[in-house]
């Protein structure tokens, strides 16, 4: 079946540290992959996406590359800020139906 | 970006009562909306797909008579939890898909059934 696994949190970093949040997936076919972010008290927002192998999604300094060979879509940012503190969800859309399958979410806490 | 609202943001009700949650796309039309459920420290689980003008399609294991969905217009979908019980307590989140097939999420509704 289709599933998404994220690294467990919380992840606590100091400002300007390098961030990696691991995400691996299991899917049939060729899914689209997404990272969503949820800031405190707000709804999920699309952070970035990739629709095919080797695509790199990027936004607000965050990047993730669709790696088919390792079935991964790890989220990275070179220098985090306190304002990046949020919950990050990795998700896949297995057949472009819009039915997103989410990972369990990873809480990021950035300290000044 | 596009905005999706949910109402109420939280609700407490007695066991056996019904609760209605609204999901609205504020500045775009959404022929398709989705309802998710999230348990503490767990991922969002898709419950059903709500299609304007037609019946919702439910995911396996979701009771359609328990969770009634009505997509009455291009900007409104409602989820009614009928005869709620404590095990229905959860965080319910909706999303609306625009014409570019981007999904926008509501802020969620926290339901507590006593």
């Amino acid at each position: 079946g289709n599933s998404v696994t994220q690294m467990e949190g919380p992840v606590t970093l100091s400002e300007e540290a390098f961030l990696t949040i691991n995400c691996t997936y299991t899917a049939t076919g060729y899914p689209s992959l997404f990272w969503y972010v949820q800031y405190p008290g707000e709804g999920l927002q699309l952070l970035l996406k990739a629709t095919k192998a080797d695509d790199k999604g990027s936004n607000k300094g965050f990047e993730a590359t669709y790696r088919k060979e390792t079935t991964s879509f790890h989220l990275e940012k070179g220098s985090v800020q306190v304002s990046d503190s949020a919950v990050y969800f990795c998700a896949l859309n297995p057949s472009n139906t819009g039915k997103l399958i989410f990972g369990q979410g990873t809480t990021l806490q950035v300290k000044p | 970006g596009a905005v999706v609202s949910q109402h109420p943001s939280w609700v407490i009700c007695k066991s056996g009562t019904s609760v209605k949650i609204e999901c609205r796309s504020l500045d775009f039309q959404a022929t398709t909306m989705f309802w998710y459920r999230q348990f503490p420290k767990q991922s969002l689980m898709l419950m059903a797909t709500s299609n304007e003008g037609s019946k919702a399609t439910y995911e396996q294991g979701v009771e359609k008579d328990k969770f009634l969905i009505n997509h009455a217009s291009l900007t409104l979908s409602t989820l009614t939890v009928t005869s709620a019980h404590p095990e229905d307590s959860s965080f319910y989140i909706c999303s609306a898909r625009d014409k570019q097939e981007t999904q926008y999420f509501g802020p969620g509704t926290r339901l507590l059934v006593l």
Side-chain angles (χ1 to χ4, degrees):
Chain A
N2 300 305
S3 66
V4 177
T5 302
Q6 288 180 236
M7 62 187 290
E8 286 199 26
V11 174
T12 303
L13 296 173
S14 298
E15 209 165 18
E16 299 184 1
F18 184 86
L19 168 72
T20 299
I21 300 179
N22 290 337
C23 171
T24 57
Y25 67 91
T26 302
T28 54
Y30 302 94
S32 296
L33 301 174
F34 305 83
W35 276 100
Y36 283 85
V37 58
Q38 185 174 31
Y39 298 103
E42 299 183 18
L44 274 74
Q45 301 174 24
L46 178 63
L47 181 60
L48 52 85
K49 68 177 182 181
T51 57
K52 61 183 187 297
D54 299 326
D55 267 3
K56 177 186 285 187
S58 61
N59 185 25
K60 300 181 180 180
F62 291 90
E63 293 183 341
T65 302
Y66 189 146
R67 301 285 189 201
K68 191 172 184 295
E69 64 275 14
T70 55
T71 61
S72 65
F73 194 54
H74 304 323
L75 182 68
E76 297 181 337
K77 186 174 186 182
S79 176
V80 293
Q81 305 300 313
V82 173
S83 57
D84 293 326
S85 299
V87 182
Y88 291 83
F89 292 91
C90 185
L92 68 85
N93 179 1
S95 54
N96 293 321
T97 61
K99 294 185 177 182
L100 295 173
I101 296 171
F102 285 88
Q104 72 269 39
T106 302
T107 299
L108 170 65
Q109 298 174 340
V110 181
K111 297 186 175 181
Chain B
V3 177
V4 174
S5 69
Q6 281 185 241
H7 179 78
S9 55
W10 60 272
V11 57
I12 301 173
C13 69
K14 293 182 179 180
S15 186
T17 61
S18 294
V19 175
K20 179 185 284 188
I21 302 170
E22 295 185 347
C23 176
R24 294 181 184 273
S25 55
L26 298 184
D27 49 4
F28 67 101
Q29 294 182 333
T31 56
T32 303
M33 293 184 174
F34 301 90
W35 286 96
Y36 296 84
R37 184 173 178 177
Q38 184 179 28
F39 292 101
K41 298 186 178 181
Q42 295 188 27
S43 65
L44 284 74
M45 300 296 294
L46 179 64
M47 298 175 65
T49 303
S50 173
N51 300 297
E52 188 269 337
S54 64
K55 291 183 178 180
T57 54
Y58 291 80
E59 296 301 301
Q60 192 173 9
V62 178
E63 299 176 58
K64 60 181 68 177
D65 294 330
K66 174 77 168 175
F67 300 99
L68 300 180
I69 291 172
N70 187 334
H71 196 147
S73 75
L74 288 171
T75 59
L76 173 63
S77 175
T78 60
L79 168 68
T80 301
V81 183
T82 63
S83 187
H85 288 93
E87 59 266 28
D88 298 323
S89 299
S90 192
F91 193 53
Y92 294 88
I93 302 172
C94 74
S95 71
R97 188 168 68 183
D98 68 8
K99 292 180 180 179
Q100 286 72 43
E101 302 195 348
T102 298
Q103 283 193 45
Y104 297 93
F105 285 79
T109 297
R110 191 164 300 282
L111 170 63
L112 177 61
V113 184
L114 302 177

